[in-house]
Amino acid sequence: MSLDANTSGLFPIAPTPFHPDGRLDEGSIDILVERYLAAGANGVTVLGIMGEAPKLEPDESLQIAARFIDRMGRLPVIIGVSAPGFAAMRSLARSVMDQGAAGVMIAPLPSLRTDDQITGYYRQAVEAIGTDIPFVIQDYPLTLTVQMTPKVIRQIIQENPSCVMLKHEDWPGLEKISALRGFQKDGSLRPISILTGNGGLFLDFEMERGVDGAMKGYAFPEMLGDVVRLQKAGKRDEAHNLFDAHLPLLRYEQQQGVGLAVRKYVLMRRGFIASDTQRKPAAALSAAARAEVDYLLARLALRDARARL
Amino acid sequence: MSLDANTSGLFPIAPTPFHPDGRLDEGSIDILVERYLAAGANGVTVLGIMGEAPKLEPDESLQIAARFIDRMGRLPVIIGVSAPGFAAMRSLARSVMDQGAAGVMIAPLPSLRTDDQITGYYRQAVEAIGTDIPFVIQDYPLTLTVQMTPKVIRQIIQENPSCVMLKHEDWPGLEKISALRGFQKDGSLRPISILTGNGGLFLDFEMERGVDGAMKGYAFPEMLGDVVRLQKAGKRDEAHNLFDAHLPLLRYEQQQGVGLAVRKYVLMRRGFIASDTQRKPAAALSAAARAEVDYLLARLALRDARARL
Amino acid sequence: MSLDANTSGLFPIAPTPFHPDGRLDEGSIDILVERYLAAGANGVTVLGIMGEAPKLEPDESLQIAARFIDRMGRLPVIIGVSAPGFAAMRSLARSVMDQGAAGVMIAPLPSLRTDDQITGYYRQAVEAIGTDIPFVIQDYPLTLTVQMTPKVIRQIIQENPSCVMLKHEDWPGLEKISALRGFQKDGSLRPISILTGNGGLFLDFEMERGVDGAMKGYAFPEMLGDVVRLQKAGKRDEAHNLFDAHLPLLRYEQQQGVGLAVRKYVLMRRGFIASDTQRKPAAALSAAARAEVDYLLARLALRDARARL
Amino acid sequence: MSLDANTSGLFPIAPTPFHPDGRLDEGSIDILVERYLAAGANGVTVLGIMGEAPKLEPDESLQIAARFIDRMGRLPVIIGVSAPGFAAMRSLARSVMDQGAAGVMIAPLPSLRTDDQITGYYRQAVEAIGTDIPFVIQDYPLTLTVQMTPKVIRQIIQENPSCVMLKHEDWPGLEKISALRGFQKDGSLRPISILTGNGGLFLDFEMERGVDGAMKGYAFPEMLGDVVRLQKAGKRDEAHNLFDAHLPLLRYEQQQGVGLAVRKYVLMRRGFIASDTQRKPAAALSAAARAEVDYLLARLALRDARARL
């Protein structure tokens, strides 16, 4: 299925499952996809920062993409193709589209600074991968150190017709969403899908500011999907109640570096993946941290149920 | 009152109140102190980043410090004296100690990178202000971009007997607390007070990892004080219940740049200060953001009450 | 004398002379000015990064500015007023203009990233200091980490009529000069003076690209002035010959951190200042480094003389 | 031939030659190697930052490495294997060693900050590639933003017996060389080869501080080799005379971003490679810049000859 400016809903960011010895665990991909579908996912995003993409060999990346595409059936799969050079980006992008991916996601190089450098980079990237591949802008200043103003994002979208989506991960970022939606209202920006990432710490209000859904790696994707649906149905208080029940854990996951360890641990405890192994370099979870997550999970079970009453 | 390695409890980080035209509002300092004392504060910290210190003229800094010191009575006042050069740091530090401050807080210069640069900087700072002034290390990588390992912090403490406290604001930072307390257990670090800042987003677990209290600017200081007390009394679940009730707003405040606008707005709504004016350069609060904060405050009132049942 | 868009020639960046014990050495200011005038200076710039401005107390800054203004007579003195907040910037700017300064120099805050942030900052700065004070943009990415494109510089100039000069210190920066002069040719930019800094490492070609002169701290200001004059007179080879004779020392001075120590040492050896003392924090010169500078000075004497034959 | 702590002399950093359409130009590799050997090279370094390594596909990297190894005969070839993840690093390192490389070069990840992070990274890297592969530390703060103190470099060397060389590219860096050689004298550091990079802007004095040779990409490698030989022979003035003759061009090459364009242009003009094509993203050379380089080359011819008289 293709990706376009109307794409919405829940797109989990998938981790890459490994066996305890570091080999790819393809069986866990199958289970992960099953669980995502059960949680109401409308698609999935693979090989993002959370997918440990830079730690994979090129053949592995293709193998992982193929497996997800196969298991997701007709649902769209977005593949992260960010790379230091355009040769590798083009190669990966063309290969995964041939495999059946719905589109690709491109983050800016961390060295980009000025508005012109950023817009120029996206022009070159599109020239490299080809104008026929739908792509997603990843706007993640906290990790990438690249700051894109709403005007810069608008320029990228207007200059590149194959841009169909913004993965919004600015922090703080609520005003940015309002500014972009305002551009659409005043006619200076064509329609664009905005899914929001950034750990989901502001999903409750991001929905109210006008995003189309969530693209996040939080280990309870069903909560993300439900908050999206509740907000779209105008059930504001219910959405906040459910969201707030998860906020203590969501917040705990939002620790730079150690966050992925927390997520993989929770996903493993929930049976989404067989092992929480990460490839090096990686931050491990201490015994104290694991106990804290266990405590949060115990509290969460009760509070999630109560919020859904 | 003096500051030492046994200092604990609640030290609110005070904002600097301004009149709508940008002049200092000293009357609001008096009210602010009253409210802090009513909230159970054990001291206060003034002229920190949240206090808009770099936007003040030297005379104003002294004026603000004097007012807080006077109103706090016998309770300790910590003054932020971070500066690009040691001449200004020394001048401010000596002046506020003469006024009756309990100690000073020193952040590292943002340009410091290696372990040796950081420890060398603190040696020079102590030489500049004098070895008789108790000081607090401010460890705030997210804003200052300086990363101090536990070993570096230990070295600063061991090399400088006048260091009595760490303001812990690393993010993530739970393991750092455990590492420092571990150093004390193995005898390689002398006792030191650790108060935790960083917006309070992890105060619940930071207490369990061994900090002595909170040094934060959250607009409900009484919650911070109560969580500290509950945790010290071993009432873990009660502490988390109260903390979680505030987490949606606490999280909202934790937006780089706009966070201070949120705090001043809430403090104004609560009657702690007369106006939420900031000096330029400053990020303003949009109408949408104000409405979001109002919504969170309405929910908070109910949930805080329920958590205290 | 006032500063305007026609200002040109040699503006040495003055160091701040200290006695060995760290006190200001005002007597050395008098000698320094004498030497600058003898070297053909058309003005001087004070309290820049090289002037150790952040290490001074506010009263000292005013004292230094006053002394330079007094001694320079009718020649223009530019005062660096960069500050973390606008209150201090305004206070210093108004004071030095009252003392008789010709204009002020403003560097962007290191935290500025996007084009809009940068142009917004200059609008706010001009609002703060007043629109009646001629000011110089300092564009120094290597130290300040702020990258301004030619378009951003053009916008600052067009939005702020009181902007009269660019201190160009981008590295590499030759194309930036050509771009700005191109904007003037195509009518999209009003005339502006461009003096070039950045240690002078590219002064030879910067003159050919269209700058109006040099604003640098190199310890042989007469060479800078002579290269400017030779290039303006169309004596290209002579200009390069003289410049190349100094390049080994010029290059040696261009070491981040230790560069100021080299300059003050050479200025002291040449009798421009009485002591090469810097205030802390400062990088010192090792015995080996001093010997290297001595060796370069010995070679320079011969080569400068030969280049002038 | 193997790489060890006694390796010395001239190791040019090779660019990767491309055809005008962006394909690899293997024929130019053959010519390049011939010229390097004629210039007195003792080895060569391939796939460094200057080699546009991040813009290559994995197969191309292996192809380039194989070609250089084949043509260099018994002389050592060092391959840059820096990568965001250890899987790709290990894969490339093992492959090129099988092909006959003499060793590999590893740069730290740009995100590393504290001393412990840096030393930990090298331990993990060595664990990944295997302890049997001789490796070179690349210390290049200006581009990589990672600052390693002499103590950190010593720790890496002492902890990893397979570390045989430091590529020194700190700026400023003269004191670092003296500090490391001092560690060897006081017995706290085992012998290590130090070759110096950083564009060669300080090669004259770096030799006097104790480096073993040059690992640089300057387009006149014969000058680098001759300066190394002259300094080793104690001919200080002759070394400086030759070096100074090249300094105007060397300085011109040292422009971040555009530097590689200058180098490839000069290498093309000298017949070392057939085309100066770079892969995107790349900074191009303007007509004005090309004319400036031509002017410098014309002057250089005369001055190099005179220095060798």
Side-chain angles (χ1 to χ4, degrees), chain D residues 73-96:
Chain D
R74 302 193 37 175
L75 291 178
V77 177
I78 299 172
I79 307 290
V81 298
S82 304
F86 291 135
M89 186 189 290
R90 173 187 169 81
S91 166
L92 180 57
R94 307 274 354 151
S95 299
V96 297

Side-chain angles (χ1 to χ4, degrees), chain C residues 5-6 157-158 163-164 181 184 189-193:
Chain C
N6 297 313
I157 296 168
Q158 298 297 87
C163 179
V164 296
R181 291 312 189 199
Q184 289 181 222
L189 177 65
R190 63 177 167 85
I192 186 88
S193 170

Side-chain angles (χ1 to χ4, degrees), chain B residues 110-117 145-149 151 155, chain D residues 110-117 145-149 151 155:
Chain B
S111 57
L112 300 173
R113 300 295 294 270
T114 68
D115 292 4
D116 285 350
Q117 286 170 350
T145 76
V146 178
Q147 291 187 26
M148 306 188 201
T149 61
K151 284 196 289 186
Q155 190 179 337
Chain D
S111 56
L112 301 173
R113 301 293 295 271
T114 69
D115 292 5
D116 285 350
Q117 287 170 350
T145 74
V146 178
Q147 291 187 25
M148 305 187 201
T149 60
K151 283 196 289 185
Q155 191 180 337

Side-chain angles (χ1 to χ4, degrees), chain A residues 175 209 237 286 292 295, chain B residues 175 201 209 237 286 292 295:
Chain A
E175 300 305 328
R209 295 287 186 121
D237 290 346
S286 70
E292 288 164 347
Y295 180 71
Chain B
E175 300 305 328
L201 214 54
R209 295 289 186 119
D237 290 346
S286 70
E292 288 164 349
Y295 179 71

